[in-house]
Structure formats: C-alpha cells, structure tokens
PDB file of all heavy atoms in Angstrom:
ATOM      1  N   ILE T   1      16.690 210.772 -24.405  1.00 97.00           N
ATOM      2  CA  ILE T   1      17.126 211.223 -23.093  1.00 97.00           C
ATOM      3  C   ILE T   1      15.951 211.383 -22.130  1.00 97.00           C
ATOM      4  O   ILE T   1      15.020 212.044 -22.453  1.00 97.00           O
ATOM      5  CB  ILE T   1      17.910 212.588 -23.268  1.00 97.00           C
ATOM      6  CG1 ILE T   1      19.138 212.479 -24.139  1.00 97.00           C
ATOM      7  CG2 ILE T   1      18.268 213.153 -21.863  1.00 97.00           C
ATOM      8  CD1 ILE T   1      19.741 213.763 -24.525  1.00 97.00           C
ATOM      9  N   GLU T   2      16.065 210.691 -20.967  1.00 92.00           N
ATOM     10  CA  GLU T   2      14.948 210.806 -19.974  1.00 92.00           C
ATOM     11  C   GLU T   2      15.037 212.138 -19.310  1.00 92.00           C
ATOM     12  O   GLU T   2      16.080 212.719 -19.187  1.00 92.00           O
ATOM     13  CB  GLU T   2      15.129 209.638 -19.002  1.00 92.00           C
ATOM     14  CG  GLU T   2      14.073 209.602 -17.883  1.00 92.00           C
ATOM     15  CD  GLU T   2      14.462 210.474 -16.659  1.00 92.00           C
ATOM     16  OE1 GLU T   2      15.630 210.824 -16.463  1.00 92.00           O
ATOM     17  OE2 GLU T   2      13.477 210.839 -15.934  1.00 92.00           O
ATOM     18  N   GLY T   3      13.922 212.625 -18.759  1.00 86.00           N
ATOM     19  CA  GLY T   3      13.980 213.858 -18.008  1.00 86.00           C
ATOM     20  C   GLY T   3      12.732 214.704 -18.025  1.00 86.00           C
ATOM     21  O   GLY T   3      12.764 215.912 -18.214  1.00 86.00           O
ATOM     22  N   ARG T   4      11.589 214.018 -17.750  1.00 76.00           N
ATOM     23  CA  ARG T   4      10.269 214.713 -17.860  1.00 76.00           C
ATOM     24  C   ARG T   4      10.144 215.941 -16.904  1.00 76.00           C
ATOM     25  O   ARG T   4       9.441 216.860 -17.199  1.00 76.00           O
ATOM     26  CB  ARG T   4       9.086 213.791 -17.784  1.00 76.00           C
ATOM     27  CG  ARG T   4       9.093 213.091 -16.480  1.00 76.00           C
ATOM     28  CD  ARG T   4       7.948 212.047 -16.420  1.00 76.00           C
ATOM     29  NE  ARG T   4       7.848 211.335 -15.173  1.00 76.00           N
ATOM     30  CZ  ARG T   4       8.475 210.197 -14.902  1.00 76.00           C
ATOM     31  NH1 ARG T   4       9.316 209.722 -15.783  1.00 76.00           N
ATOM     32  NH2 ARG T   4       8.356 209.625 -13.701  1.00 76.00           N
ATOM     33  N   ASN T   5      10.839 215.762 -15.791  1.00 82.00           N
ATOM     34  CA  ASN T   5      10.667 216.846 -14.784  1.00 82.00           C
ATOM     35  C   ASN T   5      12.051 217.524 -14.465  1.00 82.00           C
ATOM     36  O   ASN T   5      12.208 218.161 -13.456  1.00 82.00           O
ATOM     37  CB  ASN T   5      10.142 216.309 -13.472  1.00 82.00           C
ATOM     38  CG  ASN T   5       8.665 215.831 -13.574  1.00 82.00           C
ATOM     39  OD1 ASN T   5       7.891 216.492 -14.212  1.00 82.00           O
ATOM     40  ND2 ASN T   5       8.390 214.686 -13.074  1.00 82.00           N
ATOM     41  N   ARG T   6      12.983 217.488 -15.416  1.00 88.00           N
ATOM     42  CA  ARG T   6      14.305 217.954 -15.219  1.00 88.00           C
ATOM     43  C   ARG T   6      14.427 219.475 -15.566  1.00 88.00           C
ATOM     44  O   ARG T   6      13.553 219.991 -16.309  1.00 88.00           O
ATOM     45  CB  ARG T   6      15.314 217.179 -16.050  1.00 88.00           C
ATOM     46  CG  ARG T   6      15.333 215.706 -15.787  1.00 88.00           C
ATOM     47  CD  ARG T   6      16.184 215.398 -14.562  1.00 88.00           C
ATOM     48  NE  ARG T   6      16.509 213.940 -14.508  1.00 88.00           N
ATOM     49  CZ  ARG T   6      17.542 213.464 -13.873  1.00 88.00           C
ATOM     50  NH1 ARG T   6      18.368 214.250 -13.244  1.00 88.00           N
ATOM     51  NH2 ARG T   6      17.737 212.159 -13.839  1.00 88.00           N
ATOM     52  N   SER T   7      15.458 220.094 -15.071  1.00 92.00           N
ATOM     53  CA  SER T   7      15.649 221.550 -15.363  1.00 92.00           C
ATOM     54  C   SER T   7      16.165 221.732 -16.749  1.00 92.00           C
ATOM     55  O   SER T   7      16.716 220.818 -17.443  1.00 92.00           O
ATOM     56  CB  SER T   7      16.692 222.086 -14.331  1.00 92.00           C
ATOM     57  OG  SER T   7      17.980 221.495 -14.591  1.00 92.00           O
ATOM     58  N   GLU T   8      16.170 222.998 -17.190  1.00 95.00           N
ATOM     59  CA  GLU T   8      16.761 223.351 -18.467  1.00 95.00           C
ATOM     60  C   GLU T   8      18.270 223.049 -18.489  1.00 95.00           C
ATOM     61  O   GLU T   8      18.881 222.782 -19.520  1.00 95.00           O
ATOM     62  CB  GLU T   8      16.459 224.748 -18.888  1.00 95.00           C
ATOM     63  CG  GLU T   8      17.257 225.880 -18.196  1.00 95.00           C
ATOM     64  CD  GLU T   8      16.589 226.343 -16.865  1.00 95.00           C
ATOM     65  OE1 GLU T   8      15.818 225.560 -16.275  1.00 95.00           O
ATOM     66  OE2 GLU T   8      16.860 227.469 -16.488  1.00 95.00           O
ATOM     67  N   TYR T   9      18.908 223.134 -17.327  1.00 96.00           N
ATOM     68  CA  TYR T   9      20.302 222.861 -17.240  1.00 96.00           C
ATOM     69  C   TYR T   9      20.597 221.386 -17.547  1.00 96.00           C
ATOM     70  O   TYR T   9      21.500 221.117 -18.359  1.00 96.00           O
ATOM     71  CB  TYR T   9      20.825 223.212 -15.845  1.00 96.00           C
ATOM     72  CG  TYR T   9      22.245 222.711 -15.571  1.00 96.00           C
ATOM     73  CD1 TYR T   9      23.326 223.157 -16.291  1.00 96.00           C
ATOM     74  CD2 TYR T   9      22.497 221.804 -14.517  1.00 96.00           C
ATOM     75  CE1 TYR T   9      24.631 222.674 -15.968  1.00 96.00           C
ATOM     76  CE2 TYR T   9      23.753 221.363 -14.212  1.00 96.00           C
ATOM     77  CZ  TYR T   9      24.828 221.793 -14.996  1.00 96.00           C
ATOM     78  OH  TYR T   9      26.076 221.321 -14.657  1.00 96.00           O
ATOM     79  N   TYR T  10      19.877 220.495 -16.926  1.00 95.00           N
ATOM     80  CA  TYR T  10      20.032 219.090 -17.222  1.00 95.00           C
ATOM     81  C   TYR T  10      19.794 218.817 -18.690  1.00 95.00           C
ATOM     82  O   TYR T  10      20.642 218.158 -19.388  1.00 95.00           O
ATOM     83  CB  TYR T  10      19.027 218.271 -16.419  1.00 95.00           C
ATOM     84  CG  TYR T  10      18.996 216.763 -16.759  1.00 95.00           C
ATOM     85  CD1 TYR T  10      19.841 215.865 -16.224  1.00 95.00           C
ATOM     86  CD2 TYR T  10      18.045 216.365 -17.723  1.00 95.00           C
ATOM     87  CE1 TYR T  10      19.756 214.526 -16.591  1.00 95.00           C
ATOM     88  CE2 TYR T  10      17.982 215.021 -18.095  1.00 95.00           C
ATOM     89  CZ  TYR T  10      18.842 214.120 -17.510  1.00 95.00           C
ATOM     90  OH  TYR T  10      18.763 212.790 -17.871  1.00 95.00           O
ATOM     91  N   VAL T  11      18.703 219.281 -19.216  1.00 97.00           N
ATOM     92  CA  VAL T  11      18.431 219.035 -20.636  1.00 97.00           C
ATOM     93  C   VAL T  11      19.471 219.621 -21.548  1.00 97.00           C
ATOM     94  O   VAL T  11      20.007 218.870 -22.432  1.00 97.00           O
ATOM     95  CB  VAL T  11      17.024 219.757 -21.021  1.00 97.00           C
ATOM     96  CG1 VAL T  11      16.766 219.598 -22.493  1.00 97.00           C
ATOM     97  CG2 VAL T  11      15.856 219.045 -20.210  1.00 97.00           C
ATOM     98  N   GLY T  12      19.837 220.790 -21.341  1.00 97.00           N
ATOM     99  CA  GLY T  12      20.912 221.474 -22.227  1.00 97.00           C
ATOM    100  C   GLY T  12      22.221 220.739 -22.221  1.00 97.00           C
ATOM    101  O   GLY T  12      22.884 220.487 -23.190  1.00 97.00           O
ATOM    102  N   ALA T  13      22.665 220.519 -20.963  1.00 97.00           N
ATOM    103  CA  ALA T  13      24.043 219.978 -20.739  1.00 97.00           C
ATOM    104  C   ALA T  13      24.111 218.464 -21.314  1.00 97.00           C
ATOM    105  O   ALA T  13      25.110 218.143 -21.950  1.00 97.00           O
ATOM    106  CB  ALA T  13      24.460 219.962 -19.294  1.00 97.00           C
ATOM    107  N   VAL T  14      23.146 217.735 -21.052  1.00 97.00           N
ATOM    108  CA  VAL T  14      23.074 216.276 -21.555  1.00 97.00           C
ATOM    109  C   VAL T  14      22.923 216.272 -23.072  1.00 97.00           C
ATOM    110  O   VAL T  14      23.653 215.512 -23.748  1.00 97.00           O
ATOM    111  CB  VAL T  14      22.003 215.498 -20.855  1.00 97.00           C
ATOM    112  CG1 VAL T  14      21.921 214.108 -21.437  1.00 97.00           C
ATOM    113  CG2 VAL T  14      22.209 215.348 -19.332  1.00 97.00           C
ATOM    114  N   VAL T  15      22.053 217.057 -23.570  1.00 98.00           N
ATOM    115  CA  VAL T  15      21.880 217.133 -25.047  1.00 98.00           C
ATOM    116  C   VAL T  15      23.181 217.496 -25.655  1.00 98.00           C
ATOM    117  O   VAL T  15      23.644 216.923 -26.654  1.00 98.00           O
ATOM    118  CB  VAL T  15      20.741 218.145 -25.416  1.00 98.00           C
ATOM    119  CG1 VAL T  15      20.843 218.417 -26.984  1.00 98.00           C
ATOM    120  CG2 VAL T  15      19.429 217.475 -25.123  1.00 98.00           C
ATOM    121  N   HIS T  16      23.848 218.557 -25.093  1.00 98.00           N
ATOM    122  CA  HIS T  16      25.174 219.065 -25.646  1.00 98.00           C
ATOM    123  C   HIS T  16      26.149 217.981 -25.598  1.00 98.00           C
ATOM    124  O   HIS T  16      26.906 217.825 -26.689  1.00 98.00           O
ATOM    125  CB  HIS T  16      25.601 220.259 -24.777  1.00 98.00           C
ATOM    126  CG  HIS T  16      26.870 220.803 -25.142  1.00 98.00           C
ATOM    127  ND1 HIS T  16      28.001 220.772 -24.317  1.00 98.00           N
ATOM    128  CD2 HIS T  16      27.294 221.416 -26.283  1.00 98.00           C
ATOM    129  CE1 HIS T  16      28.993 221.381 -24.934  1.00 98.00           C
ATOM    130  NE2 HIS T  16      28.590 221.769 -26.166  1.00 98.00           N
ATOM    131  N   ALA T  17      26.294 217.184 -24.608  1.00 98.00           N
ATOM    132  CA  ALA T  17      27.307 216.102 -24.576  1.00 98.00           C
ATOM    133  C   ALA T  17      27.084 215.085 -25.645  1.00 98.00           C
ATOM    134  O   ALA T  17      28.021 214.719 -26.356  1.00 98.00           O
ATOM    135  CB  ALA T  17      27.300 215.459 -23.177  1.00 98.00           C
ATOM    136  N   TYR T  18      25.821 214.677 -25.819  1.00 98.00           N
ATOM    137  CA  TYR T  18      25.584 213.616 -26.775  1.00 98.00           C
ATOM    138  C   TYR T  18      25.601 214.202 -28.191  1.00 98.00           C
ATOM    139  O   TYR T  18      26.054 213.475 -29.112  1.00 98.00           O
ATOM    140  CB  TYR T  18      24.198 212.976 -26.527  1.00 98.00           C
ATOM    141  CG  TYR T  18      24.330 211.886 -25.359  1.00 98.00           C
ATOM    142  CD1 TYR T  18      23.970 212.225 -24.067  1.00 98.00           C
ATOM    143  CD2 TYR T  18      24.729 210.600 -25.697  1.00 98.00           C
ATOM    144  CE1 TYR T  18      24.043 211.278 -23.090  1.00 98.00           C
ATOM    145  CE2 TYR T  18      24.862 209.724 -24.666  1.00 98.00           C
ATOM    146  CZ  TYR T  18      24.497 210.021 -23.420  1.00 98.00           C
ATOM    147  OH  TYR T  18      24.638 209.060 -22.430  1.00 98.00           O
ATOM    148  N   ARG T  19      25.189 215.453 -28.363  1.00 98.00           N
ATOM    149  CA  ARG T  19      25.281 216.038 -29.715  1.00 98.00           C
ATOM    150  C   ARG T  19      26.740 216.111 -30.177  1.00 98.00           C
ATOM    151  O   ARG T  19      27.068 215.762 -31.283  1.00 98.00           O
ATOM    152  CB  ARG T  19      24.667 217.471 -29.686  1.00 98.00           C
ATOM    153  CG  ARG T  19      24.794 218.237 -30.945  1.00 98.00           C
ATOM    154  CD  ARG T  19      23.760 217.837 -31.944  1.00 98.00           C
ATOM    155  NE  ARG T  19      24.058 216.674 -32.745  1.00 98.00           N
ATOM    156  CZ  ARG T  19      23.243 215.852 -33.229  1.00 98.00           C
ATOM    157  NH1 ARG T  19      21.911 216.006 -32.997  1.00 98.00           N
ATOM    158  NH2 ARG T  19      23.612 214.762 -33.864  1.00 98.00           N
ATOM    159  N   CYS T  20      27.623 216.570 -29.218  1.00 98.00           N
ATOM    160  CA  CYS T  20      29.053 216.668 -29.604  1.00 98.00           C
ATOM    161  C   CYS T  20      29.613 215.268 -29.838  1.00 98.00           C
ATOM    162  O   CYS T  20      30.397 215.115 -30.796  1.00 98.00           O
ATOM    163  CB  CYS T  20      29.794 217.392 -28.462  1.00 98.00           C
ATOM    164  SG  CYS T  20      29.466 219.160 -28.274  1.00 98.00           S
ATOM    165  N   ALA T  21      29.263 214.339 -29.074  1.00 98.00           N
ATOM    166  CA  ALA T  21      29.792 212.974 -29.228  1.00 98.00           C
ATOM    167  C   ALA T  21      29.317 212.361 -30.538  1.00 98.00           C
ATOM    168  O   ALA T  21      30.124 211.764 -31.320  1.00 98.00           O
ATOM    169  CB  ALA T  21      29.388 212.099 -28.075  1.00 98.00           C
ATOM    170  N   MET T  22      28.045 212.516 -30.812  1.00 98.00           N
ATOM    171  CA  MET T  22      27.505 211.915 -32.077  1.00 98.00           C
ATOM    172  C   MET T  22      28.135 212.527 -33.342  1.00 98.00           C
ATOM    173  O   MET T  22      28.514 211.868 -34.308  1.00 98.00           O
ATOM    174  CB  MET T  22      25.991 212.067 -32.091  1.00 98.00           C
ATOM    175  CG  MET T  22      25.315 211.182 -31.077  1.00 98.00           C
ATOM    176  SD  MET T  22      23.525 211.622 -30.789  1.00 98.00           S
ATOM    177  CE  MET T  22      22.855 211.214 -32.391  1.00 98.00           C
ATOM    178  N   ASP T  23      28.317 213.914 -33.291  1.00 97.00           N
ATOM    179  CA  ASP T  23      28.878 214.561 -34.396  1.00 97.00           C
ATOM    180  C   ASP T  23      30.404 214.153 -34.535  1.00 97.00           C
ATOM    181  O   ASP T  23      30.930 214.032 -35.618  1.00 97.00           O
ATOM    182  CB  ASP T  23      28.782 216.064 -34.209  1.00 97.00           C
ATOM    183  CG  ASP T  23      27.350 216.545 -34.413  1.00 97.00           C
ATOM    184  OD1 ASP T  23      26.504 215.766 -34.889  1.00 97.00           O
ATOM    185  OD2 ASP T  23      27.034 217.737 -34.087  1.00 97.00           O
ATOM    186  N   ALA T  24      31.139 213.958 -33.374  1.00 97.00           N
ATOM    187  CA  ALA T  24      32.444 213.547 -33.446  1.00 97.00           C
ATOM    188  C   ALA T  24      32.565 212.128 -34.094  1.00 97.00           C
ATOM    189  O   ALA T  24      33.525 211.876 -34.905  1.00 97.00           O
ATOM    190  CB  ALA T  24      33.084 213.533 -32.057  1.00 97.00           C
ATOM    191  N   TYR T  25      31.631 211.244 -33.743  1.00 97.00           N
ATOM    192  CA  TYR T  25      31.620 209.953 -34.337  1.00 97.00           C
ATOM    193  C   TYR T  25      31.427 210.044 -35.855  1.00 97.00           C
ATOM    194  O   TYR T  25      32.067 209.315 -36.658  1.00 97.00           O
ATOM    195  CB  TYR T  25      30.531 209.065 -33.689  1.00 97.00           C
ATOM    196  CG  TYR T  25      30.244 207.724 -34.423  1.00 97.00           C
ATOM    197  CD1 TYR T  25      31.070 206.628 -34.114  1.00 97.00           C
ATOM    198  CD2 TYR T  25      29.322 207.671 -35.356  1.00 97.00           C
ATOM    199  CE1 TYR T  25      30.867 205.447 -34.797  1.00 97.00           C
ATOM    200  CE2 TYR T  25      29.092 206.495 -36.078  1.00 97.00           C
ATOM    201  CZ  TYR T  25      29.912 205.374 -35.712  1.00 97.00           C
ATOM    202  OH  TYR T  25      29.672 204.177 -36.418  1.00 97.00           O
ATOM    203  N   ALA T  26      30.457 210.898 -36.235  1.00 97.00           N
ATOM    204  CA  ALA T  26      30.128 211.035 -37.650  1.00 97.00           C
ATOM    205  C   ALA T  26      31.344 211.499 -38.455  1.00 97.00           C
ATOM    206  O   ALA T  26      31.590 211.056 -39.584  1.00 97.00           O
ATOM    207  CB  ALA T  26      28.945 211.988 -37.831  1.00 97.00           C
ATOM    208  N   ARG T  27      32.177 212.410 -37.869  1.00 96.00           N
ATOM    209  CA  ARG T  27      33.316 212.888 -38.521  1.00 96.00           C
ATOM    210  C   ARG T  27      34.403 211.884 -38.750  1.00 96.00           C
ATOM    211  O   ARG T  27      35.042 211.790 -39.762  1.00 96.00           O
ATOM    212  CB  ARG T  27      33.860 214.139 -37.862  1.00 96.00           C
ATOM    213  CG  ARG T  27      33.037 215.364 -37.940  1.00 96.00           C
ATOM    214  CD  ARG T  27      33.755 216.611 -37.464  1.00 96.00           C
ATOM    215  NE  ARG T  27      34.033 216.491 -35.999  1.00 96.00           N
ATOM    216  CZ  ARG T  27      33.255 216.979 -35.041  1.00 96.00           C
ATOM    217  NH1 ARG T  27      32.109 217.498 -35.330  1.00 96.00           N
ATOM    218  NH2 ARG T  27      33.531 216.857 -33.729  1.00 96.00           N
ATOM    219  N   ALA T  28      34.587 211.039 -37.723  1.00 95.00           N
ATOM    220  CA  ALA T  28      35.712 210.044 -37.767  1.00 95.00           C
ATOM    221  C   ALA T  28      35.285 208.812 -36.940  1.00 95.00           C
ATOM    222  O   ALA T  28      35.687 208.620 -35.799  1.00 95.00           O
ATOM    223  CB  ALA T  28      36.946 210.672 -37.156  1.00 95.00           C
ATOM    224  N   PRO T  29      34.458 207.920 -37.509  1.00 95.00           N
ATOM    225  CA  PRO T  29      33.951 206.741 -36.725  1.00 95.00           C
ATOM    226  C   PRO T  29      35.150 205.883 -36.220  1.00 95.00           C
ATOM    227  O   PRO T  29      35.087 205.424 -35.031  1.00 95.00           O
ATOM    228  CB  PRO T  29      33.171 205.998 -37.760  1.00 95.00           C
ATOM    229  CG  PRO T  29      32.696 207.043 -38.726  1.00 95.00           C
ATOM    230  CD  PRO T  29      33.837 207.991 -38.805  1.00 95.00           C
ATOM    231  N   GLY T  30      36.187 205.727 -36.982  1.00 94.00           N
ATOM    232  CA  GLY T  30      37.269 204.805 -36.605  1.00 94.00           C
ATOM    233  C   GLY T  30      38.041 205.269 -35.429  1.00 94.00           C
ATOM    234  O   GLY T  30      38.670 204.482 -34.752  1.00 94.00           O
ATOM    235  N   SER T  31      38.047 206.612 -35.164  1.00 96.00           N
ATOM    236  CA  SER T  31      38.915 207.035 -34.052  1.00 96.00           C
ATOM    237  C   SER T  31      38.055 207.665 -32.975  1.00 96.00           C
ATOM    238  O   SER T  31      38.584 208.346 -32.063  1.00 96.00           O
ATOM    239  CB  SER T  31      39.921 208.133 -34.560  1.00 96.00           C
ATOM    240  OG  SER T  31      39.218 209.265 -35.156  1.00 96.00           O
ATOM    241  N   PHE T  32      36.798 207.317 -32.933  1.00 97.00           N
ATOM    242  CA  PHE T  32      35.921 207.908 -31.933  1.00 97.00           C
ATOM    243  C   PHE T  32      36.260 207.479 -30.480  1.00 97.00           C
ATOM    244  O   PHE T  32      36.454 206.280 -30.226  1.00 97.00           O
ATOM    245  CB  PHE T  32      34.488 207.531 -32.194  1.00 97.00           C
ATOM    246  CG  PHE T  32      33.497 207.984 -31.123  1.00 97.00           C
ATOM    247  CD1 PHE T  32      33.190 209.379 -31.058  1.00 97.00           C
ATOM    248  CD2 PHE T  32      32.964 207.079 -30.179  1.00 97.00           C
ATOM    249  CE1 PHE T  32      32.303 209.786 -29.973  1.00 97.00           C
ATOM    250  CE2 PHE T  32      32.092 207.522 -29.230  1.00 97.00           C
ATOM    251  CZ  PHE T  32      31.718 208.879 -29.124  1.00 97.00           C
TER     252      PHE T  32
END
C-alpha cells in the first residue's frame, strides 16, 4: 500500500479493507 506521507486514518482504513478482503478470500476463494 502506497502512502509515505499519509495520515493514520488513510493507513488504517486502507489496511482494514484489504485485510478483511484477503481474509474473506482465504475462507472461501470460490465465492469471494
């Protein structure tokens, strides 16, 4: 994730979205 000068809000919210998505894929790849 790019963001060398970004706020903690940007970092947290973007990480959260991709973390949730990646974990959802891991649980059920076929229905992601």
Side-chain angles (χ1 to χ4, degrees):
I1 296 168
E2 179 275 340
R4 60 185 180 271
N5 294 317
R6 302 279 195 154
S7 69
E8 75 271 24
Y9 169 62
Y10 170 89
V11 172
V14 175
V15 167
H16 178 242
Y18 281 97
R19 175 80 280 148
C20 289
M22 292 166 66
D23 290 349
Y25 172 85
R27 288 191 296 269
S31 59
F32 175 72

